[in-house]
Amino acid sequence: MRNFKNLILIVIALFLVGCGSKGEKMSDDDFSKYEKQAQAAISLINERKTVEFIDLTEKSLGFKKEILEEAYKNLENYGKFVEFGKSKGIYEEEKDKGETYFTILQKVKYDKKDALFRVSFNKDNKIIGIFFK
């Protein structure tokens, strides 16, 4: 449980990109690209394909099997995957580093309750953060 809490703190820190930076709506081309990538990553999580998911992440962040297994346990409360819902794409900027991140907010319907995933990518198309509630 402690590892999961650490993951959540890392994810929250990543999403607090730049103090007060606001997200700008993504271009249609970027949205199409990153929406597909986010849905593919969420599908890997739904299918419990840990190694394949970790391959999509930024290596320096150290996503670990144990952390994902904790997330899988939490995801069990949502039930079985039904379908992807609406999604939205935004650019987020980390002002200190001048880096832009590509974030997809993806609604996902499960048979017990719905979830909202937030998946962020860096310029190298690697996942730098994923969170669901």
Side-chain angles (χ1 to χ4, degrees), residues 79-133:
K80 293 185 181 196
F81 172 81
V82 175
E83 65 184 354
F84 290 110
K86 292 184 179 183
S87 58
K88 177 182 177 182
I90 56 174
Y91 299 114
E92 295 183 293
E93 184 180 343
E94 185 174 356
K95 294 184 182 209
D96 294 346
K97 294 183 181 179
E99 292 183 30
T100 299
Y101 301 109
F102 309 90
T103 299
I104 296 292
L105 304 170
Q106 176 68 61
K107 290 184 180 180
V108 181
K109 182 176 175 94
Y110 292 94
D111 63 0
K112 291 183 183 175
K113 62 181 180 177
D114 295 346
L116 176 64
F117 278 80
R118 182 180 183 124
V119 187
S120 293
F121 299 88
N122 64 13
K123 67 182 183 325
D124 298 322
N125 300 319
K126 293 293 188 179
I127 295 173
I128 59 166
I130 187 165
F131 175 77
F132 72 91
K133 63 177 180 171

Side-chain angles (χ1 to χ4, degrees), residues 3-133:
N3 285 339
F4 183 71
K5 288 180 182 179
N6 289 337
L7 172 66
I8 295 299
L9 291 175
I10 290 169
V11 170
I12 290 171
L14 289 171
F15 288 126
L16 296 175
V17 231
C19 292
S21 71
K22 69 179 191 181
E24 178 185 328
K25 186 179 177 192
M26 212 178 263
S27 72
D28 290 342
D29 288 341
D30 282 344
F31 175 71
S32 178
K33 173 184 173 180
Y34 288 105
E35 179 189 42
K36 287 176 188 165
Q37 289 183 15
Q39 289 177 352
I42 294 166
S43 292
L44 290 174
I45 288 173
N46 287 331
E47 296 165 12
R48 310 308 195 254
K49 293 187 175 180
T50 303
V51 173
E52 293 89 341
F53 176 80
I54 290 174
D55 286 344
L56 300 177
T57 66
E58 173 60 45
K59 300 301 178 234
S60 66
L61 296 177
F63 280 91
K64 298 205 185 300
K65 179 181 177 181
E66 298 79 21
I67 294 171
L68 288 171
E69 287 174 356
E70 195 66 39
Y72 298 155
K73 288 178 189 174
N74 290 327
L75 198 56
E76 287 175 10
N77 296 326
Y78 291 78
K80 293 185 181 196
F81 172 81
V82 175
E83 65 184 354
F84 290 110
K86 292 184 179 183
S87 58
K88 177 182 177 182
I90 56 174
Y91 299 114
E92 295 183 293
E93 184 180 343
E94 185 174 356
K95 294 184 182 209
D96 294 346
K97 294 183 181 179
E99 292 183 30
T100 299
Y101 301 109
F102 309 90
T103 299
I104 296 292
L105 304 170
Q106 176 68 61
K107 290 184 180 180
V108 181
K109 182 176 175 94
Y110 292 94
D111 63 0
K112 291 183 183 175
K113 62 181 180 177
D114 295 346
L116 176 64
F117 278 80
R118 182 180 183 124
V119 187
S120 293
F121 299 88
N122 64 13
K123 67 182 183 325
D124 298 322
N125 300 319
K126 293 293 188 179
I127 295 173
I128 59 166
I130 187 165
F131 175 77
F132 72 91
K133 63 177 180 171

